[in-house]
Amino acid sequence: MKTRREFFKNSAGIILGSVFYPYLTQAARVKNIGINLYSARDAMLADATDTLKKLAKIGYKEIESAKSAKGNYYGLSPKEIKTMTQDLGVNLRAGHVLVNADFQKSIDEAAEAGQEYLISPGLTSRGQTVDNYKKVADAFNKAGEDCMKSNIIFGYHNGGSDFTQENGQVLYDVLLANTDPNLVTMELDLGWAIVGGADPIAYIHKYPERFPLWHIKDIKKDKAESTEFGKGRIDITGLLKHAKKSSMKHLFIEQEEWEHSALESLAFDYTYLKKLDY
């Protein structure tokens, strides 16, 4: 499984030409659809300004940045991305950064950029053990306290490996039990939860207030790679029926692999989701 911290050397071509969209007659139910910029990482690294304009033209209304080789905003300063997104009518809602030696800098930049959330896409220390997840929970609680001082909400984005077990304990459950909900919110990546063997709907019903942010993706039927909506094994409509129960506030599309180009796939996913009725 690829993570957002893996940067690919070959840049995908930007093709916004003719794309086949599924014909769905029902009225749209999802509004203010967001995009995690890791989904367009190569294009963002090549030309962040042009790529943001193209994403806004597709219709994306919320942006979640992701740390890259060029910093937290793909070479743009916090002030520049704040001004640009405002001019495009897009909300810079969140950003993915690691909790490391640069974390305070990330908090300061997020505050300057006007973000509401800082989300960690990785653990603070390695080890698929209960003890390490308790250690990570302590670090996340501290990160949440640090973020709160700047009016930023801290959170964690799960991967599939978080749902492995040690001595009958699911490690993600250990993290949920040992993080303060007032300090650490959870961004539920439903696709990777399913790949990890978990039932995201069960988590939503057990912890209805813990998942205000969602990552939604489709996963290929024959391998653990993301694909365009409706082409994989994820029941997207079935998951969205539980958005209200989850108190979901913000939804971000994330597609980490694509057949042709990132922006072509992201245009396809946006249209699919926008027309989907649930």
Side-chain angles (χ1 to χ4, degrees):
M1 184 196 313
K2 295 180 176 61
T3 70
R4 59 196 39 75
R5 297 191 298 278
E6 296 177 291
F7 305 114
F8 295 88
K9 294 181 179 179
N10 296 323
S11 178
I14 299 174
I15 305 173
L16 289 176
S18 59
V19 180
F20 171 74
Y21 297 133
Y23 181 69
L24 300 171
T25 59
Q26 299 295 331
R29 293 286 300 277
V30 180
K31 297 180 180 179
N32 296 326
I33 297 172
I35 179 71
N36 182 283
L37 293 180
Y38 184 76
S39 305
R41 55 195 175 274
D42 293 335
M44 285 295 299
L45 285 169
D47 192 332
T49 298
D50 181 64
T51 304
L52 286 172
K53 289 179 180 178
K54 288 178 177 177
L55 290 170
K57 187 174 181 180
I58 289 171
Y60 287 103
K61 293 298 184 183
E62 298 208 319
I63 296 292
E64 182 175 59
S65 189
K67 187 174 178 62
S68 72
K70 290 185 176 181
N72 292 342
Y73 308 108
Y74 296 91
L76 298 173
S77 71
K79 184 177 180 180
E80 286 172 335
I81 196 167
K82 180 179 182 179
T83 299
M84 185 174 303
T85 51
Q86 287 177 343
D87 290 346
L88 291 171
V90 174
N91 192 321
L92 178 62
R93 181 68 63 183
H96 276 203
V97 300
L98 294 176
V99 180
N100 55 22
D102 295 326
F103 189 60
Q104 185 58 52
K105 180 182 178 182
S106 293
I107 294 174
D108 295 339
E109 289 187 349
E112 185 179 357
Q115 287 173 218
E116 185 177 356
Y117 297 91
L118 267 181
I119 306 296
S120 176
L123 305 177
T124 53
S125 55
R126 295 183 179 181
Q128 297 305 107
T129 66
V130 170
D131 284 345
N132 185 56
Y133 270 69
K134 288 181 178 179
K135 179 181 176 181
V136 170
D138 290 339
F140 281 172
N141 285 330
K142 176 61 167 59
E145 291 176 351
D146 292 340
C147 283
M148 187 177 291
K149 296 173 185 176
S150 296
N151 296 316
I152 303 291
I153 300 171
F154 175 74
Y156 176 65
H157 170 281
N158 64 276
S161 61
D162 290 318
F163 299 94
T164 57
Q165 298 185 27
E166 184 189 43
N167 297 326
Q169 294 188 70
V170 178
L171 299 180
Y172 191 66
D173 294 357
V174 174
L175 197 60
L176 285 168
N178 289 276
T179 48
D180 184 342
N182 295 314
L183 298 174
V184 182
T185 194
M186 293 292 176
E187 181 173 63
L188 184 61
D189 189 310
L190 297 97
W192 290 137
I194 291 171
V195 169
D199 178 0
I201 295 174
Y203 275 96
I204 288 166
H205 284 260
K206 186 174 181 179
Y207 304 96
E209 303 296 328
R210 290 301 303 264
F211 308 111
L213 284 75
W214 282 21
H215 267 203
I216 192 161
K217 56 168 57 75
D218 207 346
I219 302 290
K220 292 180 179 179
K221 297 177 181 179
D222 59 344
K223 61 178 67 174
E225 292 184 359
S226 55
T227 187
E228 292 174 343
F229 288 177
K231 298 182 179 181
R233 55 175 130 151
I234 304 300
D235 179 8
I236 294 173
T237 303
L239 293 172
L240 286 171
K241 289 179 179 179
H242 299 269
K244 185 176 180 180
K245 179 68 176 180
S246 178
S247 300
M248 186 263 284
K249 297 179 181 178
H250 308 288
L251 179 147
F252 300 100
I253 288 174
E254 184 179 51
Q255 183 175 335
E256 293 150 311
E257 296 88 18
W258 48 86
E259 296 298 326
H260 301 291
S261 80
L263 290 181
E264 180 176 314
S265 291
L266 295 175
F268 183 101
D269 292 343
Y270 175 86
T271 301
Y272 184 101
L273 194 59
K274 189 68 176 177
K275 293 184 177 180
L276 197 63
D277 183 76
Y278 62 95

